[in-house]
Amino acid sequence: MARVLVLNGPNLNLLGAREPSVYGADTLADLEARCRAHGERLGVAVECVQSNHEGVLLDHLHAWGQHYRDRQAVGVVFNPGAYTHTSIALHDAIKGVAPMPVIEVHLSNVHAREPFRHHSWVAPVAAGSIIGFGVDGYLLALDALARRRAAGLST
Ligand code: DQA
């Protein structure tokens, strides 16, 4: 079965406890369970990773770029957390694994928040961005990857 990585960045392990009025009540385990269940409906195997470390996120992107080239992977759903706004290294990594599609997801509407959240280094190199729909955004991103695959745009 084709594989998809759901990759969550720093502080997303605190979901459920962290600013629930902004990020909702679901825990990371709830989010990952919903992604896996949705993947089953779509016929893709969803694997989930969360890391608070930029280099670990880079390593996973590189590894999945290889899975994509090996025609085992469909793409990555990526919430880079605060690294979205700071990391040229993530920008370069996503460019480096092109044409594997990486879909940027944010739980909150970053454009309705502080100005420092308005810039994304990931957006220009992402296949697309889904912002402000909570956990549903991850499911929409999985839909988008499954549709790309069905349309022959990916493995
Ligand atoms: C976030 C938005 C980021 O600005 C923030 O640093 C996060 C979470 C979101 O999902 O809304 O950690 O990526």
Side-chain angles (χ1 to χ4, degrees):
M1 195 188 286
R3 299 161 68 194
V4 172
L5 176 65
V6 171
L7 184 59
N8 279 298
N11 298 310
L12 292 163
N13 54 311
L14 301 178
L15 282 179
R18 174 193 185 200
E19 300 181 78
S21 60
V22 176
Y23 297 116
D26 284 338
T27 65
L28 180 64
D30 297 333
L31 182 158
E32 292 179 346
R34 284 187 65 190
C35 288
R36 286 199 189 91
H38 198 62
E40 272 174 36
R41 285 191 285 274
L42 295 171
V44 295
V46 171
E47 295 171 39
C48 300
V49 170
Q50 186 275 332
S51 177
N52 293 319
H53 304 279
E54 190 175 17
V56 174
L57 298 170
L58 292 170
D59 288 344
H60 281 286
L61 288 169
H62 296 171
W64 277 72
Q66 187 59 51
H67 298 328
Y68 183 84
R69 284 192 295 279
D70 293 342
R71 304 185 68 80
Q72 293 171 6
V74 181
V76 175
V77 175
F78 189 22
N79 183 345
Y83 288 140
T84 307
H85 318 300
T86 62
S87 179
I88 297 170
L90 285 177
H91 173 105
D92 285 348
I94 294 168
K95 251 186 177 168
V97 296
M100 178 177 73
V102 175
I103 301 187
E104 176 188 19
V105 172
H106 297 288
L107 293 153
S108 64
N109 180 358
V110 286
H111 298 292
R113 300 181 62 195
E114 304 94 322
F116 63 81
R117 295 185 203 277
H118 296 180
H119 180 261
S120 169
W121 285 105
V122 170
V125 288
S129 304
I130 300 175
I131 294 172
F133 295 103
V135 176
D136 286 349
Y138 289 74
L139 309 187
L140 293 169
L142 290 170
D143 286 342
L145 287 178
R147 289 167 75 98
R148 280 178 73 106
R149 178 167 175 254
L153 292 171
S154 180
T155 57

